[in-house]
Amino acid sequence: FGHLVLCSILATLSTSDLVIDVKPNVISPEITPQLVINCSITNNQVQQLDLIKSLTLSRYNENTKEFNDLFTLNSSTLDLKQQLQLKYSQVSFGNLYITLSLPNPTQFDAKIYRCNATGDNADGANISLFAKMAVEYETNSTALIEEIRHCKKNENICKCSLKKVDHVEITQKSRFQFYASSEIIQELIEPLTLKCLFKTLIQGQKETSTLQSLYIIHEINGVIAFINKQQPVVTPIIDGHLKNVEGEIFDNESKDSYLQVTWNNLKHSESGKYFCEAHVNCSDGRFDKLIDIVTIIVRGSTLEDLVKVIQKLQRQAEVDQESLQNNEQKIKAIKEDVDTNKQSIISVKEDLNTKQESILRIDKDLDAKQQDIISLKDNMNTTEKDIIRIKEDVYTNQENILSITENIDTNKHNMSSLLENLTMVVANVSTAFLEVQNQIDEVNKLPQRYFVPPTSCRNVTSPKARVIVTLASGLKVMCDTKTDGGGW
């Protein structure tokens, strides 16, 4: 059995945040389902680097004794460039990390991998720091025998599984299409469009895989364009060509995922085979790669082709000339209409000037009326204030009247009570007076009953100064009861 060889070399101190990690670090044929290499910078910083410009993942080439760059990530734009085409691979990237996944790795993938960070230090000097890690290949016969025994025990299950995989592969291939606008292109004349399509399932079919990425590759020039799931399209610039690229990988089952490239001015060197690769993640955990090929021939333009192009251009020029003549006639008619419209505009301007003067006069009248309205408003405001004050006085008077009315009602009630009391008092006094009068009358009658007429005025007494008295002799005389003690 082989053993793991793990090398980790840092150009900086051991506490550097530049990290390369491989899982697993030992791979075995037909046993290891996937090899994952992660090149990253933790905490977005590396010792001795004040500015990080790029991150590169490389693999050691034993033939050239050098590291071949696989992917380079620009830290400022997050653009990922694929330097070397890998079969059956999947890559994801983001803020200062690159993760490469290799399904079903082989002995060829057991290499030394390097993570390289490039940038400027505190002095502004450009430096490069790196970390390495090796993956060892091991032929683990024990694990392989156990897997064979497991398959023998579950032979029927394995057969069914294989049949299912075959059916899935057929379904996947029927969904995958790659085609060109034309397989023969005239050099520097005709444009070329390549479209890679991963179609949705027919209604009722169950989804058994997930598309991860699409690549369009030329057999010599390398990657033309690629797109990863939930990431924008990446277009490497080759030979200075700018290509119109579009594409998208959809999660839902209602839209077809695609990658399309269109460019002009093709050269003979761009002839050859173009590959479309679809990297698929199956529901059973396997990674699959579908490949379709289109052969493009960029044919050199002959004199006959150039003549056809010139004739076509001449016909187009004649059509354009006719269009220009028609446009000139239209322009002349438009000019005449413009002249007519100018006269109309002049007349309209004069009318507008007259109307403007009228408007100015109206504005002055409006200003005067506006002032009158303002004055009226002021008067109305003053009147309104007076009305409010009068209303307040009326309300106050009403309250006073109500109070007086209440007092009058109270006084009336009191007077009624007093009148009743006076009536009762008068009645009582009248009754008492009558009783007293009766008593007086009785008293007055007593002297008449028992009265002995006086013989002279000497014995006459009376509260009055002079009183008429009938003497016993029957003579009526006036007696003086005051002078010298009376008796006269």
Side-chain angles (χ1 to χ4, degrees), residues 89-90 211-215 227-229 249 277-280:
S89 64
Q90 181 180 352
L211 180 64
Q212 299 296 324
S213 58
L214 289 172
Y215 286 80
I227 182 173
N228 290 318
K229 188 175 181 180
I249 295 178
E277 292 186 2
H279 295 192
V280 179

Side-chain angles (χ1 to χ4, degrees), residues 224-226 233-235 243-247 259-262:
I224 304 299
F226 68 92
V233 176
V234 178
T235 311
K243 299 176 177 60
N244 182 16
V245 182
E246 58 183 72
L259 176 62
Q260 178 176 299
V261 184
T262 302

